[in-house]
């Protein structure tokens, strides 16, 4: 996986703007891994993506349910939070394989806990605390996926000029 771009997200509003930019390039069948410590902004980013895709209701953190489904116009989205997952095999018991029968967007927090059972990442987002906000790093899963990541890189460049 190649790192394509790193940039700062100084506050939640910047994270939400990035989520909207991410929503503009996602496609059914994508899997986006969201890495970061507790409180790093993974759920804030997922919430921003869902809202930009057209979800108007509450976006719950799936910390206890593990998976929250969202039926949006033209796109099914599954938001997963695997923090409480004891063993990756538990994804079989909660029906992940059945969810993947039709192309959907997966937003996966704590993906390392589902290793071996999750589809490979189309895009990986790392959020890291720093003195002022967060540092975001993007990596594409393949050269084909890098096209969308480059579109996000252009968004970052234009956002930093504003």
């Amino acid at each position: 996986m190649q790192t394509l771009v790193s940039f700062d997200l100084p506050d939640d509003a910047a994270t939400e703007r990035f989520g909207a930019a991410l929503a503009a390039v996602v496609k059914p069948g994508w899997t986006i891994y969201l890495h970061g410590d507790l409180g790093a902004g993974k759920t804030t980013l997922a919430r921003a993506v869902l809202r930009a895709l057209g979800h108007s209701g509450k976006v719950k953190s799936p910390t206890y349910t593990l998976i929250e489904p969202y039926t949006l116009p033209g796109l099914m989205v599954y938001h997963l939070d695997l923090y409480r997952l004891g063993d990756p095999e538990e994804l079989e018991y909660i029906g992940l394989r059945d969810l993947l029968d039709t192309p959907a967007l997966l937003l996966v927090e704590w993906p390392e806990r589902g290793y071996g059972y999750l589809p490979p990442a189309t895009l990986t987002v790392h959020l890291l605390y720093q003195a002022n906000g967060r540092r975001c790093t993007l990596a594409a899963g393949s050269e084909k996926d890098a096209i969308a990541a480059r579109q996000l890189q252009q968004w970052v460049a234009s956002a930093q000029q504003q």
Side-chain angles (χ1 to χ4, degrees):
M1 209 172 282
Q2 178 184 13
T3 299
L4 294 170
V5 63
S6 288
F7 53 95
D8 294 329
L9 295 170
D11 52 29
D12 284 348
T15 302
E16 290 167 6
R17 287 190 302 274
F18 172 63
L22 183 56
V25 299
V26 298
K27 295 176 178 51
W30 274 32
T31 299
I32 300 176
Y33 288 177
L34 303 172
H35 289 278
D37 291 336
L38 284 171
K42 298 178 299 295
T43 301
T44 299
L45 181 59
R47 184 177 295 120
V49 169
L50 286 161
R51 289 205 175 114
L53 289 171
H55 180 70
S56 59
K58 184 175 180 173
V59 177
K60 299 185 297 183
S61 173
T63 300
Y64 294 100
T65 59
L66 299 181
I67 299 175
E68 286 291 333
Y70 296 91
T71 304
L72 303 173
L75 181 65
M76 188 69 200
V77 180
Y78 295 105
H79 180 195
L80 290 78
D81 183 336
L82 305 182
Y83 181 74
R84 293 174 34 96
L85 198 67
D87 185 287
E89 193 172 314
E90 290 177 40
L91 289 171
E92 281 293 316
Y93 305 130
I94 62 174
L96 179 66
R97 187 184 312 236
D98 295 334
L99 298 179
L100 300 177
D101 283 344
T102 57
L105 170 63
L106 298 180
L107 301 172
V108 186
E109 298 183 39
W110 302 97
E112 62 277 9
R113 297 188 183 213
Y115 181 75
Y117 288 85
L118 290 172
T122 308
L123 192 66
T124 299
V125 178
H126 289 269
L127 297 170
L128 178 67
Y129 285 115
Q130 60 181 20
N132 295 326
R134 292 162 181 88
R135 183 84 178 153
C136 181
T137 303
L138 300 178
S142 71
E143 188 54 41
K144 178 186 83 163
D145 302 330
I147 294 167
R150 285 190 193 96
Q151 291 174 327
L152 291 168
Q153 186 175 21
Q154 291 171 353
W155 173 85
V156 169
S158 67
Q160 289 174 338
Q161 291 175 359
Q162 295 176 0

